[in-house]
Amino acid sequence: MSVPSAFLLQASDIPTHWYNLNADMPEPMAPPLHPGTKQPVCLEDMLPIFPEVLVQQEMSQERWIEIPEPVRDIYAAWRPAPLYRAVRLEKALDTPAHIYYKYEGVSPAGSHKPNTAVAQAYYNKISGIKRLATETGAGQWGSSLAMACQMFGLECTVYMVKVSFTQKPYRKSMMGAWGANVFASPSENTAYGRKVLAESPDCPGSLGIAISEAIEDTVSTPGTEMAGEMPDVVLGCAGGGSNFAGISVPFMYKKLTEGMPVRIVAVEPSSCPSLTKGELRYDFGDTAGMTPLMMMYTLGHDFMPPSIHSGGLRYHGMAPMVSHLYKLGLIEAVSAPQTAIFEAAVTFARSEGIIPAPESSHAIRAAIDEALAAKAEGKQRNILFNLSGNGYLDLAAYDSYLAGSMKG
Ligand SMILES: *Cc1c(COP(=O)(O)O)cnc(C)c1O
C-alpha cells in the first residue's frame, strides 16, 4: 500500500492571526535594556529604528495578533507551505520512524524569510517610511526584504556579510533584480564599516557588523493533523531563531496549554554554537553595540564565526524568546560540524530530490540522527523538521563538499 507523502492545505487555511508565545510563557522574559542607560527600553527608545506598530507588536502580550489583509494576500502566492512525508529518505535509512518536513523553499526568495519580510515592509509602508536598510548573511534575508520592499514600493539598501557576498554572488543578483542596493559589509558606506576596515582590511564580515552598518544607515538617513499523526520530536535549524520558532511554537502552545509530550530541538553549527556553548546574559544584537541589550544565549557580540557556508547561521546570539525557552528547559539544542551537515544534505537530495539550503540541512542532520536512533531502539517515532529553504544558490558549497575540499 502506498503511503501519502504530500499534505497540502488550501489558501483559505492560511491563519488570520499570528500566535504570540509571550501570552503563555510560564515565566516572563527579561526585558531588553537600553544600550546607554542599561534601563529597560521603552517604546520611544526604539522609534529611531523601527515604526511604532512594529515596536508595539514586539512588546505585546496579546495571544493572537491579526495578520493584515494585504500581507495575507501576498502570502497566498506561495502559502500554505506544503508538508511532505520523506518516504524515500525513511527507506534509505531503513528506519521505523516517520519523517515529515514542512518546505519553506517554495517562496519566491527560496526560504521562510518572506513570511516576516512582507509583514515588516507592510508595517513600515503604512507608517510612512520610504526606505529600509538591513543586513544579510547568506543573502536570504536581504533578498526576501528586497522582494517585500518592491511589493510595497519601498527603497531597500542591504549590507551583505562580505564572505557570503563573495561565496554567493547570485544572491546579490536576486536583490538587484528586486531593485535593492547591495554593499559588501564591512563597507566604506558607513563610519562604522570604515573603522572596521581600517583595523582589519581582510575582515570577512559578520551579521553583527552588518547590523551595526544597517542601523547606522537607518538612523543617519532620515497543522500536522492532516497527516493523521502528531510529532514526537520537532526540529529546526537555529541561526537567529525565526524558522525554528515558526515550526515549533504551535507545538510549544500545545505543550504548555495541553501538556502535549513533544520534544523540541534546535540544531546549530558546532562552529557557531550560541545555545550549546554560549552564555546566558545581556548582550548586544550587533557588533558595534547600537541595539538594545537582550537577555540571550550569546558567544559575545564581537565573536567572529568561521566562514562556513551556512551564512544564515553565522550569528553570535539567539533570539531572546528561544533563549528563554532553552533556559526554562522547554527545548533542547544540539550542534553538528559542516561536513556532517553536507553528508545529510546530499543524502536528502538523493532520496527526496530537493537540494536543501545548508542552513536547513542542520535540521535534516538531526532528523536523520533521530530516525537512526529510532531504528537502533526498534521503535516508531514521528519526526517533523522545517526545511527552511532550498539550496539552489548555495551550489558552490555542494561543489566543495563533493570535491572533498570542505573543512570542518
Ligand atoms: C536565514 C536562514 C536560516 C536561519 O535563520 P533563523 O532566524 O534561525 O531561521 C535558516 N534557514 C534558511 C534557509 C535561512 O535562509
Side-chain angles (χ1 to χ4, degrees):
M1 199 184 78
S2 84
V3 180
S5 61
F7 305 91
L8 310 172
L9 297 170
Q10 301 298 312
S12 56
D13 298 321
I14 297 177
T16 55
H17 291 71
W18 286 298
Y19 169 57
N20 178 9
L21 182 60
N22 276 324
D24 293 303
M25 277 290 188
E27 193 183 287
M29 290 170 55
L33 305 182
H34 188 281
T37 64
K38 310 279 190 300
Q39 293 302 307
V41 283
C42 57
L43 187 98
E44 290 70 36
D45 295 333
M46 307 293 283
L47 296 183
I49 319 181
F50 299 113
E52 186 168 344
V53 266
L54 276 178
V55 182
Q56 273 164 350
Q57 199 175 93
E58 188 64 30
M59 296 177 163
S60 170
Q61 298 294 320
E62 292 288 308
R63 182 171 286 110
W64 304 107
I65 297 174
E66 187 166 7
I67 307 175
E69 210 167 300
V71 172
R72 273 192 279 146
D73 286 348
I74 292 178
Y75 283 170
W78 67 88
R79 289 179 65 89
L83 176 76
Y84 295 109
R85 180 159 165 198
V87 180
R88 294 169 61 87
L89 178 62
E90 290 169 15
K91 282 218 183 79
L93 299 172
D94 187 25
T95 173
H98 297 177
I99 306 176
Y100 294 90
Y101 60 98
K102 179 161 165 276
Y103 184 39
E104 293 283 352
V106 291
S107 81
S111 77
H112 64 291
K113 289 193 171 76
N115 294 330
T116 179
V118 168
Q120 293 190 38
Y122 168 79
Y123 285 118
N124 276 282
K125 173 74 179 184
I126 61 165
S127 304
I129 306 292
K130 305 267 182 276
R131 168 179 180 275
L132 294 184
T134 195
E135 82 292 345
T136 193
Q140 286 271 22
W141 171 248
S143 44
S144 301
L145 196 70
M147 178 192 82
C149 282
Q150 191 56 236
M151 286 173 159
F152 289 109
L154 299 170
E155 279 178 49
C156 184
T157 298
V158 182
Y159 292 90
M160 181 171 186
V161 174
K162 194 186 279 170
V163 46
S164 296
F165 189 87
T166 318
Q167 277 173 350
K168 303 177 198 253
Y170 295 125
R171 282 263 166 235
K172 194 180 132 229
S173 317
M174 276 174 98
M175 292 182 248
W178 279 317
N181 242 329
V182 190
F183 296 95
S185 167
S187 78
E188 294 286 349
N189 207 43
T190 65
Y192 186 68
R194 288 189 293 274
K195 175 168 169 273
V196 174
L197 285 173
E199 286 163 9
S200 124
D202 299 327
C203 175
S206 69
L207 276 172
I209 294 172
I211 296 174
S212 297
E213 289 205 86
I215 296 177
E216 182 184 326
D217 186 310
T218 301
V219 293
S220 60
T221 331
T224 55
E225 275 145 31
M226 254 177 103
E229 44 191 23
M230 291 296 267
D232 299 305
V233 54
V234 178
L235 305 161
C237 67
S242 63
N243 90 89
F244 171 72
I247 192 80
S248 66
V249 160
F251 297 102
M252 186 57 73
Y253 176 61
K254 286 187 179 290
K255 189 176 167 109
L256 292 174
T257 62
E258 298 165 16
M260 177 181 177
V262 61
R263 286 171 52 224
I264 298 176
V265 187
V267 193
E268 54 185 17
S270 38
S271 57
C272 195
S274 45
L275 282 175
T276 49
K277 295 269 175 64
E279 239 188 293
L280 180 65
R281 61 176 168 87
Y282 273 111
D283 196 8
F284 295 106
D286 69 321
T287 307
M290 294 193 261
T291 68
L293 286 156
M294 287 164 293
M295 178 58 82
M296 61 180 178
Y297 282 88
T298 175
L299 297 162
H301 61 280
D302 52 2
F303 177 76
M304 180 54 67
S307 305
I308 53 167
H309 290 279
S310 299
L313 306 184
R314 283 180 80 243
Y315 186 57
H316 65 272
M318 186 51 64
M321 186 178 274
V322 173
S323 294
H324 192 62
L325 292 171
Y326 190 55
K327 178 192 114 175
L328 296 179
L330 290 166
I331 61 170
E332 301 163 37
V334 296
S335 71
Q338 181 161 248
T339 41
I341 297 307
F342 274 84
E343 186 201 10
V346 169
T347 303
F348 184 83
R350 289 178 182 174
S351 41
E352 294 296 310
I354 297 168
I355 297 180
E359 291 87 355
S360 321
S361 304
H362 288 71
I364 298 176
R365 175 75 266 163
I368 290 179
D369 291 345
E370 289 283 341
L372 293 176
K375 176 177 170 180
E377 288 167 24
K379 279 207 197 118
Q380 211 292 103
R381 181 180 302 189
N382 294 331
I383 302 163
L384 169 68
F385 72 88
N386 199 30
L387 186 59
S388 55
N390 65 51
Y392 299 125
L393 292 177
D394 301 288
L395 296 174
Y398 280 86
D399 283 347
S400 153
Y401 174 75
L402 294 171
S405 56
M406 179 172 278
K407 297 193 183 72

